[in-house]
Amino acid sequence: MEYQPPPESLPSMNITSFLEDPSEREWKGPFTFIQGADTHRSLLAQKRRAELGQRDSFNTGREFVICGDMLDAFPYEVAENSREFPGAQELRDKQYQDFVKVFRELVPEVKLVCVCGNHDIGDKPSKETLKYTRQDYFSFWAGGVKFVVLNSQYIYVPDAMPEETDKQMKFMDTIADPKAKFIVLFMHIPFFVEEPEEEDFYFNVPKPRRLELLERLYARGVRYIFCGHYHRNAGGHYKKLELVVTSAIGAPLGDNPSGYRVVNVGEDGISHEYVTIRDSTDFSSEEK
């Protein structure tokens, strides 16, 4: 599927070279990229924003991938979600401007990749909310690795937009490529947080769909999946496929403080390390 840049409602992704440069399809040796999730802009206090901007590690990888929920306010004024209220769109616009201000600190050599989450297009996406991310699933190459981005809302709530769900399923069937050193997938909601047979709950994909799609992706060569949504570090394996759940940059819910993941792509596999931005999960003393 040809990539189309999103409208101004979400930050543009300057990944033209990853899409058009044929040399990016060639393996030339190890490299690093950064993966984060759930910035939930507005939940990121000013103090932590400064800390985030000062992190040199952000500017050492080939790309910075944010696995969903870039902003906190949902893309509608009033909804079933009790947090929505008249004026939410104005709040969202302010969060967007703040998000852009922070990530302008990335050097041009580090490409920003935004993966949509439920806060970005709504728990139940619609034609109206999709305007915030014109291209919600696509693939690109970097350093001989094929990267695939999926819209996990089509997986979590497939009946919300059945036509778009079907289109993404057909796209998933095209991602296999024997020339890729690795095939790495990014999405917001993880298929599971600890193990594939776990029971259904808010933070994972329902089991029947989960197992069918894991096998489908595995058969097409996917061996690494990076996600967010859980606001905690977690993950596990499906056969030889590793699924990594990265805690939130904004408002972590578990024992892992705000942070991001440094991912090292090597000759024989991919390794990763979670790097904290702060030392505590207690935000009670921070300025609002």
Side-chain angles (χ1 to χ4, degrees), residues 71 92-102 104:
L71 312 181
R92 182 182 173 87
D93 291 342
K94 292 179 180 178
Q95 292 175 10
Y96 166 74
Q97 295 298 330
D98 204 17
F99 180 96
V100 170
K101 183 177 180 180
V102 170
R104 277 180 180 161

Side-chain angles (χ1 to χ4, degrees), residues 159-180:
D159 295 335
M161 300 188 72
E163 291 185 5
E164 294 301 322
T165 297
D166 184 59
K167 288 178 182 178
Q168 179 171 261
M169 292 289 284
K170 291 177 179 177
F171 165 72
M172 290 166 58
D173 288 335
T174 69
I175 64 176
D177 198 315
K179 297 179 181 179

